[in-house]
Amino acid sequence: MNLPRLRLAHLPTPLERHARLDELVGVELWVKRDDATGGVEAGNKIRKLEFLLGAAVAEGADAVVTCGGLQSNHARATAVLAARLGLSATLLLRVPDPRAAALPRVGNALLDRLVGADVRFVSPEEYRHRDGALEAVRQELVRAGRKPYVVPEGGSNGLGALGYVLALREVARHVALGLGPRVDAGAPAFDVVVHACGSGGTAAGVALGVADTGVARAVRAFAVCDDEPTFTRVVGRLVAEARGHVPELPPPAPTTIDDRARGPAYAVMDDAQKRFLVEVARTGGLVLDPVYTGKALFGLREAVRRGDVPRGARVLFVHTGGLPGLLAQGDELAEALGT
Ligand SMILES: *Cc1c(COP(=O)(O)O)cnc(C)c1O
């Protein structure tokens, strides 16, 4: 890949066997620890930002602009990395009522404030037209004599998705080194790669990376916000964009978007999901977040119960991070914690 890329993440991330969770989830569980791609900037977004901020720096940008929910992991990772690179960060964060909103000093929003990001609140209606809102801020910064670079929601465009092609190449290297499942030469190491899907970039990169490496037979992406038809369309577009940047990439691996573990709303878990998140932490010491990874692993268990994923399948679960979001939801988890 002959594209500008900054080395920002702690790579390669570990590939771990989590046998203590096999019975609870119903599969042979392996975990790619992308919650360990860094310190406070960790999670899946940093892999995309290696390419996106690489492009920004190559263009001579001195400012980045992006958007997300109030507790956006993506906005936080962008703000932290911008500070590290000496770029200013403007974040458009979605809140129910921008005039009444204050930035909570917890979780991702605390970190945004800590690293000095310029946080601006936008309403859900304005957020629906986020690309226009980002463009308006870009123009404002240009008028102020700055050189802004716009990073789309979630860092999800064809360039950002390439970060997950590289992630799957790490997995293939670990398998080749004997650090993964033992399989016959040439056979896929995993039956299915499972992860949470919020803006589609990870799903696009994983689908391409799985095809590129042959490390698994298929991908199952658990939607946490939009429905299956929406993500199928979005991921298809991102895959095409990514292959435009790297034409030697093969067509994507078979991918199922599963939207049956979304729960009551974005960033809201139902009681069964909360209890599952707590049980996973207590049974296997695997700490998931309530917005993405908790719903994805819960969704995997439900898919096994339904028979959509065969019981005992060899699964690679990509832990995409989200710890600050968990730390902002202690009150919501009180009942599930039994306290
Ligand atoms: C953003 C995010 C995802 C979803 O990744 P997309 O590429 O936006 O689909 C999953 N998990 C965590 C923790 C995230 O922050």
Side-chain angles (χ1 to χ4, degrees):
M1 283 181 202
N2 199 13
L3 293 160
R5 175 183 166 219
L6 297 171
R7 296 302 188 110
L8 300 170
H10 301 181
L11 303 179
T13 57
L15 173 60
E16 292 178 348
R17 176 78 174 97
H18 279 262
R20 289 182 53 77
L21 293 170
D22 285 3
E23 199 184 316
L24 177 60
V25 184
V27 302
E28 178 183 322
L29 187 68
W30 294 78
V31 181
K32 175 71 169 162
R33 293 297 302 268
D34 269 13
D35 55 324
T37 50
V40 78
E41 71 279 57
N44 63 340
K45 302 309 180 311
I46 190 169
R47 289 194 186 267
K48 308 176 187 184
L49 289 165
E50 285 197 337
F51 284 99
L52 295 162
L53 296 179
V57 168
E59 284 179 19
D62 62 6
V64 293
V65 185
T66 196
C67 63
L70 181 61
Q71 286 290 348
S72 165
N73 295 308
H74 164 69
R76 173 260 308 164
T78 305
V80 172
L81 295 171
R84 176 164 151 194
L85 295 168
L87 313 170
S88 71
T90 306
L91 310 176
L92 304 184
L93 302 185
R94 183 186 60 232
V95 292
D97 179 1
R99 277 162 312 171
L103 200 61
R105 284 183 288 273
V106 293
N108 287 300
L110 167 64
L111 297 168
D112 297 342
R113 178 61 53 89
L114 185 66
V115 298
D118 175 10
V119 173
R120 306 193 188 175
F121 296 124
V122 297
S123 69
E125 175 57 22
E126 290 167 312
Y127 197 84
R128 265 188 284 282
H129 309 285
R130 54 192 169 274
D131 289 339
L134 290 168
E135 173 60 17
V137 174
R138 192 190 69 79
Q139 289 176 16
E140 173 197 319
L141 290 167
V142 168
R143 284 194 299 275
R146 307 292 302 279
K147 289 187 171 164
Y149 183 90
V150 173
V151 175
E153 178 190 54
S156 285
N157 59 19
L159 206 52
L162 296 175
Y164 268 85
V165 176
L166 299 193
L168 269 294
R169 288 182 183 171
E170 282 178 17
V171 173
R173 218 174 309 126
H174 278 162
V175 168
L177 288 167
L179 300 171
R182 307 216 168 267
V183 288
D184 296 337
F190 300 99
D191 295 310
V192 61
V193 179
V194 168
H195 67 90
C197 179
S199 64
T202 302
V206 167
L208 288 168
V210 166
D212 181 66
T213 58
V215 81
R217 298 176 203 281
V219 181
R220 193 171 195 93
F222 284 93
V224 301
C225 39
D226 289 314
D227 60 8
E228 184 275 320
T230 306
F231 274 123
T232 297
R233 196 167 56 243
V234 168
V235 173
R237 175 175 58 76
L238 295 173
V239 160
E241 248 181 73
R243 294 181 80 200
H245 291 294
V246 185
E248 61 269 27
L249 286 174
T255 299
T256 302
I257 307 281
D258 187 330
D259 63 7
R260 280 169 289 190
R262 282 185 288 175
Y266 175 68
V268 180
M269 285 189 138
D270 64 29
D271 289 341
Q273 292 176 326
K274 290 177 189 175
R275 283 195 301 273
F276 177 79
L277 181 146
V278 171
E279 198 176 354
V280 167
R282 291 180 180 172
T283 306
L286 189 67
V287 174
L288 304 173
D289 81 292
V291 185
Y292 297 96
T293 54
K295 286 182 176 177
L297 197 65
F298 177 87
L300 173 60
R301 186 189 63 171
E302 295 303 296
V304 171
R305 285 183 168 177
R306 283 195 307 262
D308 290 344
V309 171
R311 187 165 293 275
R314 194 173 274 156
V315 173
L316 176 65
F317 180 73
V318 185
H319 190 325
T320 42
L323 179 61
L326 170 70
L327 300 180
Q329 285 207 23
D331 290 345
E332 287 82 344
L333 290 169
E335 205 174 300
L337 289 164
T339 54

